[in-house]
Amino acid sequence: MVLTREFQYTPPMPSPDQSLPTSTRRRLTGILFTASALNRTAFIAAITVTAIAAEDMLGSAQFAGVPAAVATVGVAVGTTTISDFMAQRGRRLGFVAGLTVGVVGASLGAVAVALSSFPLLLVALYLFGMGSGADRLSRYAAADVAGPARSASAIALIVWAGTIGSIVGPALLGPAETVARLVDLEAAAGVYAAAALFVGASATLLWFFLRPDPLGAIDDIEIDDKTTSREVRAHFRTPMGRYALLALVVGQVVMALIMAMTPIHIRGSGAGISLVGVVISAHTLGMFAFSPVTGWLAPRVGNVRVILLGQGLLIVSALMAMPAAGDDRVLLISALFLLGLGWNLGFVAASALLTEGIHGPAKLRVQGIGDSVTWSASAIAVFSSGVLLDWGGFARLNLIGIGIVALALIYRLSLGRLRPLATHG
């Protein structure tokens, strides 16, 4: 590796776009897509029942968002830890190590529900979140395989894998409840057990078939921690680096704030878990189904414009959700679908924008830090959501979301033209 005085990297090997045959790139992308679909199915199913399981244990919705918040903290810690591990040992080993922790967490979740132990549920969700942190980095692995010119499309494809999770995840609730009842357990215990099986299948797939590693000859990459840290800091000092990170944070926070308490809002009206499944399914469909369109649109109209479009949809969705009663099927389905779609536009475009113009080990560090900050902010949002719902109701929760997006729009207006850190590959 050659380091210039401007802390720029010359990669020690050709980019994956140049060194891997097209057939290999497609095979690796397909494996990443399948593994991510399994992981997203597990995550969506587990998180859907987490607030309800917590409310049953505590007898109140006030702190029902805490376990999901702890899971999000786990994601934040996992993305940073695993991205550093990947920079030294490769993507494949990083994925498998993280997902193994996720299997342990999901299994403990089933035990926590069976024992009605809230402290154990918190430990379980933290570990499960760490495992999910590995999955969150799979979009960047796909970008490694595709190369810089097709990074947005590759990221979008992996995000699109969540479409499968948005359909299969909520659909697992009914069968998991049936199986759990057969062995005299709560429905949530069956859901967590199913999540463990899905994450385990993903880890097995990646262990045996994600070869060659998306990072290529990782053993030839030498990391200068001091110089890498300098380049990372320089990147986040640029308006583009700061704005990309802000866009990731705002989209995730607003989505999490509203989505986390929607199941509680629905059940508070007397509606059953079936309506929860339908609404969350519509929401996750919006989050993932249109990712190929987002990936096609971003390089054509610009990542920043796509981010702004997504933020506009977040505002529209919150305005629709504000007057919705807990049993208002049509309004909640429409609002939560648009909430997911707005998140998708911002997430895909901001992920591509985040590492634009940065190369080498610093790129992995930027990815890890970006996801860590994003998921840490999301954890605060999820934790706060239960308190805010108990304090001001569902309408005020949505109003706060609108305010957060408005502040992000004002910040964008204050910036000039966004330019990447000057690097070369």
Side-chain angles (χ1 to χ4, degrees):
M1 174 186 310
V2 177
L3 238 23
T4 72
R5 293 182 180 180
E6 292 81 16
F7 313 115
Q8 301 168 344
Y9 286 97
T10 298
M13 50 169 271
S15 70
D17 188 50
Q18 298 169 328
S19 63
L20 295 178
T22 300
S23 60
T24 302
R25 291 202 303 268
R26 289 175 177 169
R27 179 176 60 80
L28 292 175
T29 302
I31 291 166
L32 289 166
F33 178 90
T34 303
S36 187
L38 291 167
N39 292 323
R40 300 299 168 85
T41 296
F43 188 81
I44 290 168
I47 292 300
T48 298
V49 301
T50 292
I52 293 173
E55 185 183 32
D56 289 342
M57 291 178 184
L58 299 173
S60 168
Q62 185 175 7
F63 298 108
V66 173
V70 170
T72 311
V73 171
V75 174
V77 173
T79 51
T80 302
T81 304
I82 295 167
S83 65
D84 284 348
F85 181 82
M86 286 177 173
Q88 302 175 55
R89 301 294 302 275
R91 296 282 194 192
R92 185 176 67 91
L93 290 177
F95 285 136
V96 173
L99 294 174
T100 300
V101 174
V103 171
V104 174
S107 302
L108 283 178
V111 175
V113 173
L115 299 177
S116 193
S117 172
F118 187 71
L120 184 58
L121 183 66
L122 296 181
V123 173
L125 267 293
Y126 177 77
L127 295 175
F128 184 64
M130 285 194 70
S132 297
D135 174 64
R136 295 308 187 273
L137 296 170
S138 61
R139 70 190 193 277
Y140 293 123
D144 292 339
V145 173
R150 293 183 293 274
S151 61
S153 296
I155 289 170
L157 180 64
I158 300 305
V159 174
W160 187 49
T163 305
I164 297 172
S166 72
I167 297 171
V168 180
L172 277 178
L173 301 184
E177 180 177 16
T178 300
V179 173
R181 297 300 184 196
L182 290 175
V183 292
D184 199 27
L185 292 175
E186 294 294 324
V191 173
Y192 288 130
L197 290 175
F198 274 70
V199 175
S202 172
T204 302
L205 176 68
L206 293 168
W207 172 256
F208 285 106
F209 298 106
L210 193 66
R211 303 170 187 268
D213 193 284
L215 287 182
I218 193 68
D219 290 338
D220 293 336
I221 296 180
E222 298 176 0
I223 299 175
D224 184 330
D225 287 327
K226 183 177 180 180
T227 305
T228 297
S229 297
R230 285 179 176 177
E231 188 172 4
V232 169
R233 288 195 298 270
H235 178 69
F236 283 118
R237 289 192 189 106
T238 65
M240 192 188 80
R242 292 197 304 269
Y243 179 70
L245 181 58
L246 177 68
L248 282 171
V249 168
V250 167
Q252 186 66 36
V253 163
V254 174
M255 186 273 290
L257 192 70
I258 297 170
M259 185 273 287
M261 286 299 106
T262 298
I264 300 295
H265 180 59
I266 292 172
R267 199 166 78 157
S269 70
I273 194 173
S274 60
L275 180 57
V276 172
V278 171
V279 172
I280 297 301
S281 181
H283 171 63
T284 51
L285 191 67
M287 287 178 68
F288 305 121
F290 292 90
S291 296
V293 177
T294 306
W296 176 87
L297 189 65
R300 287 165 174 77
V301 305
N303 288 315
V304 174
R305 289 189 179 92
V306 172
I307 290 169
L308 293 174
L309 176 60
Q311 291 175 347
L313 287 181
L314 292 177
I315 291 176
V316 171
S317 69
L319 288 171
M320 292 177 64
M322 283 180 66
D327 58 354
D328 193 332
R329 178 182 296 262
V330 174
L331 202 52
L332 283 175
I333 288 174
S334 301
L336 269 291
F337 172 80
L338 290 178
L339 181 71
L341 182 58
W343 173 87
N344 175 276
L345 290 164
F347 187 75
V348 171
S351 295
L353 188 67
L354 182 67
T355 55
E356 187 173 310
I358 191 166
H359 305 282
K363 185 173 184 177
L364 275 77
R365 296 283 174 82
V366 167
Q367 291 166 355
I369 291 171
D371 274 17
S372 180
V373 171
T374 298
W375 292 102
S376 295
S378 181
I380 295 172
V382 174
F383 176 81
S384 303
S385 62
V387 177
L388 292 172
L389 181 71
D390 190 63
W391 166 65
F394 196 62
R396 189 166 294 181
L397 196 68
N398 282 275
L399 184 61
I400 292 171
I402 292 171
I404 293 171
V405 179
L407 290 175
L409 293 173
I410 293 170
Y411 179 74
R412 175 64 190 100
L413 290 174
S414 72
L415 298 175
R417 185 176 179 181
L418 301 179
R419 298 177 181 274
L421 182 69
T423 64
H424 72 281

